[in-house]
């Protein structure tokens, strides 16, 4: 898989402060098309805040983020149009409980992409088939297991044809036996060439599916490397300590 | 002899009751006071509820937007004043102020009453709806925004429908209170259900039947309303099965 694709995200000196606390401390990096970037780090390191900054769910206090060449941190930019191209999957799924699975998936395509209901539903059904949940199309989120909900959340984001999907600890709220089904959907996506940025604690997944692993600690990227180098020959002492604790 | 006496007493009571019914409701078509009064009560309640819902939702959205994002500060302060004033003064006084001061040159009493009760109800609806909006997990807003919906669109498609469902019982309660509160509109000379019953009382010099009839009609209305809301609640709850 090529990691020399065009640059999707260009992050330059990104800072985020909550009051006096600097959560992101001058982060600069790039994310290219086709990459699967896995972000790991201790809790409170700022890794989730970094991910959520990429679609401006957290507004940076300083620095810039360019997405597909457009500086989306510029206040005059209409962020909504760019968010359509940046999918997001949350730890707690955040499906819409008052809507059926099919409605969860077709709401945004119908209202924002102006698809007809029939078009949107046909496409949604196709995606549901891919994750083996087509019989749940008319169920409500409350009737699904955690793993099923997260698979729906993933295909809901796919309905908008995003150029990249951000995953914020997608398996952390799941019972252990359901983690596998979600990771396998994510692996399939990676194989199909989807650009993904993933905050996770699943180190095996990071090693096998990631094209680059990033260690975030104290609001900075302390180390980033290919999975092999990252796990087999970590250089940063904090990363060595972190890996020794979790592996 | 004894049982005959009892029969006489019962008989004369029944005759009296029939006379009384006739006098209070049939003679001179007095039941029409109740019928047209009921019409007035229903019209005022219905339109006041509509105004209350629209006003209440707008105020609730403004105030919860300010609470969550810090935007709309001035508008939110204005809404805050509105709530303080309306909830801090009696509805009768508000109605009298509307009739004798604000709309002094306006001749449709019923319109004045609708506006006064609508504005009054809006304040209560606003706080009910705001509590509903604030009760929705912030992940819902984030999910909507991350799909590309704007703040207002996310509110409309995702937050409000869920909030509405959560606060429906409280809203129903507010409208039941409103229905009964309209009984004060006799103060501006409107003939509503309560006033209709009172007029009969003043004609027949009999309090019992007209006032109980009025009470019974209110009771029936509230029971019907309660039933309708429970049907609506059940239908909205399908997503939780």
């Amino acid at each position: 898989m090529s990691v020399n694709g065009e640059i999707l995200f260009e992050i330059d000196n990104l800072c985020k402060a909550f009051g006096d606390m600097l959560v992101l401390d001058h982060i600069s990096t790039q994310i290219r098309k086709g990459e699967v970037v896995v972000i790991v780090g201790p809790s409170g390191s700022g890794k989730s805040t970094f991910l959520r900054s990429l679609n401006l769910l957290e507004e940076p206090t300083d620095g810039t983020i360019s997405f597909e060449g457009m500086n989306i941190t510029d206040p005059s930019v209409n962020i909504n149009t760019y968010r359509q191209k940046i999918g997001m999957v949350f730890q707690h799924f955040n499906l819409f409980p008052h809507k059926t699975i099919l409605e969860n998936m077709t709401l945004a395509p119908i209202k924002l992409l102006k698809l007809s209901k029939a078009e949107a539903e046909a496409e949604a059904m196709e995606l549901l088939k891919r994750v083996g949940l087509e019989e749940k199309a008319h169920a409500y989120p409350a009737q699904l297991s955690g793993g099923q909900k997260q698979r729906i959340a993933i295909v809901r984001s796919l309905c908008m044809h995003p150029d990249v999907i951000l995953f914020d600890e997608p398996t952390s709220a799941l019972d252990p036996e359901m983690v596998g089904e979600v990771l396998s959907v994510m692996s399939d996506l990676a194989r199909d060439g989807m650009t993904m940025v993933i905050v996770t604690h699943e180190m095996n997944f990071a090693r096998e599916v990631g094209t680059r692993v990033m260690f975030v600690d104290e609001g900075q990227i302390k180390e980033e490397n290919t999975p092999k180098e990252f796990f087999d020959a970590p250089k940063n002492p904090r990363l060595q300590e972190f890996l020794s604790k979790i592996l | 002899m004894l049982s005959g006496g009892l029969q006489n007493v019962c008989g004369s009571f029944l005759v009296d009751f029939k006379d009384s019914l006739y006098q209070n409701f049939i003679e001179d078509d007095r039941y029409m006071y109740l019928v047209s009064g009921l019409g007035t009560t229903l019209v005022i309640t219905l339109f006041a509820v509509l105004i209350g819902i629209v006003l209440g939702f707008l105020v609730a959205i403004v105030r919860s937007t300010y609470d969550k994002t810090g935007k709309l500060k001035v508008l939110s302060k204005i809404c805050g004043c509105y709530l303080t004033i309306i909830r801090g003064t009696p509805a009768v006084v508000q109605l009298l102020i509307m009739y004798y001061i604000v709309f002094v040159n306006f001749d449709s009493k019923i319109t004045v009453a609708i506006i006064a009760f609508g504005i009054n109800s809006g304040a209560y609806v606003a706080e009910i709806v705001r509590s509903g909006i604030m009760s929705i997990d912030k992940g819902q807003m984030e999910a909507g925004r991350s799909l590309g919906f704007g703040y207002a669109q996310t509110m409309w498609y995702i937050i409000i429908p869920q909030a509405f469902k959560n606060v429906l019982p409280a809203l129903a309660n507010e409208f039941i209170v409103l229905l009964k509160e309209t009984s004060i509109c006799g103060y501006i000379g409107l003939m509503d259900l309560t006033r209709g019953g009172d007029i009969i009382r003043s004609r027949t010099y009999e309090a019992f039947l007209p006032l109980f009839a009025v009470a019974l009609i209110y009771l029936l209305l509230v029971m019907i309303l309660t039933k309708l809301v429970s049907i609506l609640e059940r239908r909205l709850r399908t997503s939780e099965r």
Side-chain angles (χ1 to χ4, degrees):
Chain A
M1 182 181 313
S2 158
V3 290
N4 297 319
E6 57 180 292
I7 297 170
L8 274 189
F9 282 110
E10 174 85 56
I11 296 124
D12 185 30
N13 278 312
L14 181 68
C15 292
K16 171 74 182 181
F18 290 111
D20 288 339
M21 205 173 59
L22 198 56
V23 184
L24 298 181
D25 184 4
H26 297 86
I27 288 187
S28 297
T29 189
Q30 293 176 338
I31 292 165
R32 289 171 183 277
K33 211 172 173 61
E35 276 196 290
V36 178
V37 179
V38 181
I39 304 171
V40 301
S43 69
S45 60
K47 55 189 193 303
S48 267
T49 308
F50 172 57
L51 186 81
R52 289 160 53 83
S53 301
L54 295 180
N55 67 351
L56 298 200
L57 279 187
E58 301 288 350
E59 283 193 38
T61 35
D62 202 7
T64 59
I65 300 169
S66 293
F67 175 70
E68 296 180 344
M70 174 61 81
N71 176 8
I72 55 172
T73 40
D74 184 336
S76 67
V77 165
N78 178 8
I79 186 61
N80 297 333
T81 53
Y82 290 93
R83 282 194 179 127
Q84 294 180 15
K85 303 236 144 258
I86 309 174
M88 180 132 188
V89 174
F90 299 87
Q91 180 177 359
H92 295 289
F93 330 125
N94 297 348
L95 296 181
F96 307 133
H98 61 304
K99 296 198 172 290
T100 65
I101 298 311
L102 204 55
E103 288 166 348
N104 262 274
M105 295 173 68
T106 55
L107 181 67
I110 291 173
K111 302 291 181 193
L112 298 173
L113 303 180
K114 307 293 177 200
L115 258 58
S116 74
K117 190 162 178 267
E119 283 173 304
E121 286 186 348
E123 194 179 344
M125 287 309 294
E126 203 56 46
L127 283 164
L128 281 176
K129 254 178 228 151
R130 255 172 68 184
V131 294
L133 289 171
E134 69 263 43
E135 81 278 11
K136 299 289 185 190
H138 300 287
Y140 284 92
Q143 298 163 293
L144 269 56
S145 73
Q148 292 174 330
K149 282 185 206 170
Q150 197 60 300
R151 278 143 70 196
I152 297 299
I154 293 171
V155 288
R156 179 176 71 179
S157 76
L158 284 177
C159 285
M160 290 297 284
H161 303 288
D163 292 339
V164 53
I165 304 183
L166 314 176
F167 293 81
D168 189 6
E169 303 204 22
T171 57
S172 299
L174 295 176
D175 289 340
E177 77 268 25
M178 293 171 182
V179 170
E181 62 191 69
V182 171
L183 291 183
S184 102
V185 170
M186 290 167 64
S187 303
D188 289 348
L189 274 182
R191 202 174 310 122
D192 294 346
M194 176 59 76
T195 313
M196 298 156 76
V197 187
I198 306 161
V199 171
T200 186
H201 298 292
E202 298 292 331
M203 294 301 152
N204 286 330
F205 178 83
R207 189 194 286 266
E208 283 159 24
V209 181
T211 56
R212 173 159 53 126
V213 189
M214 210 181 255
F215 177 62
V216 173
D217 186 35
E218 296 169 325
Q220 297 169 331
I221 301 176
K222 289 283 168 72
E223 182 158 344
E224 50 182 330
N225 218 327
T226 60
K228 190 164 166 44
E229 287 289 310
F230 186 92
F231 289 107
D232 295 345
K235 293 170 197 71
N236 182 285
R238 295 275 299 180
L239 173 58
Q240 290 166 354
E241 188 193 336
F242 176 71
L243 290 177
S244 74
K245 275 184 198 156
I246 56 166
L247 291 180
Chain B
M1 195 60 195
L2 203 68
S3 69
L6 196 63
Q7 238 166 28
N8 275 342
V9 172
C10 285
S12 74
F13 173 77
L14 275 178
V15 170
D16 284 354
F17 187 71
K18 259 170 80 180
D19 282 352
S20 188
L21 267 181
Y22 179 81
Q23 235 181 24
N24 279 303
F25 301 124
I26 312 297
E27 199 177 67
D28 296 340
D29 284 343
R30 291 200 173 113
Y31 70 95
M32 283 309 291
Y33 288 115
L34 295 185
V35 172
S36 75
L38 175 61
T40 306
T41 293
L42 290 179
V43 166
I44 293 173
T45 307
L46 180 69
F47 287 101
V49 161
L50 293 179
I51 293 175
I53 287 181
V54 173
L55 204 55
F57 270 84
L58 288 177
V59 171
I61 289 168
V62 167
R63 278 170 50 87
S64 57
T65 299
Y66 174 66
D67 287 350
K68 284 186 193 171
T69 67
K71 288 173 187 157
L72 304 178
K73 185 171 178 184
V74 176
L75 214 51
S76 171
K77 295 283 176 222
I78 295 171
C79 291
C81 285
Y82 158 70
L83 295 187
T84 307
I85 292 167
I86 296 301
R87 298 197 300 165
T89 54
V92 189
V93 178
Q94 290 165 21
L95 180 67
L96 292 175
I97 288 174
M98 280 291 179
Y99 183 64
Y100 288 110
I101 300 169
V102 181
F103 292 106
V104 69
N105 292 321
F106 198 76
D107 28 286
S108 169
K109 288 177 179 180
I110 203 160
T111 311
V112 174
I114 287 170
I115 293 170
F117 285 115
I119 289 174
N120 178 272
S121 182
Y124 295 93
V125 171
E127 284 301 87
I128 292 168
V129 173
R130 188 171 71 97
S131 76
I133 291 174
M134 297 308 272
S135 75
I136 303 299
D137 182 70
K138 73 176 172 48
Q140 293 290 308
M141 177 55 84
E142 290 184 348
R145 298 306 303 272
S146 76
L147 285 167
F149 286 114
Y151 181 87
Q153 285 175 310
T154 310
M155 268 286 170
W156 183 249
Y157 293 127
I158 294 159
I159 309 292
I160 299 284
Q162 295 181 59
F164 179 72
K165 193 170 77 172
N166 288 355
V167 300
L168 194 59
L171 275 182
N173 193 47
E174 161 57 22
F175 296 139
I176 285 169
V177 170
L178 177 63
L179 170 72
K180 292 179 295 178
E181 191 134 87
T182 59
S183 62
I184 60 175
C185 64
Y187 273 89
I188 61 168
L190 264 173
M191 218 236 2
D192 71 322
L193 181 56
T194 303
R195 192 93 182 91
D198 204 41
I199 290 172
I200 299 176
R201 183 194 56 78
S202 68
R203 296 281 152 83
T204 60
Y205 301 109
E206 238 191 282
F208 184 87
L209 272 180
L211 294 186
F212 269 91
V214 166
L216 190 67
I217 295 170
Y218 278 113
L219 183 64
L220 284 174
L221 287 177
V222 170
M223 285 167 70
I224 291 168
L225 207 56
T226 310
K227 184 73 193 163
L228 287 178
V229 170
S230 80
I231 291 169
L232 183 60
E233 250 181 90
R234 215 174 310 133
R235 276 184 46 188
L236 286 175
R237 218 184 286 133
T238 49
S239 61
E240 283 155 28
R241 269 194 309 231

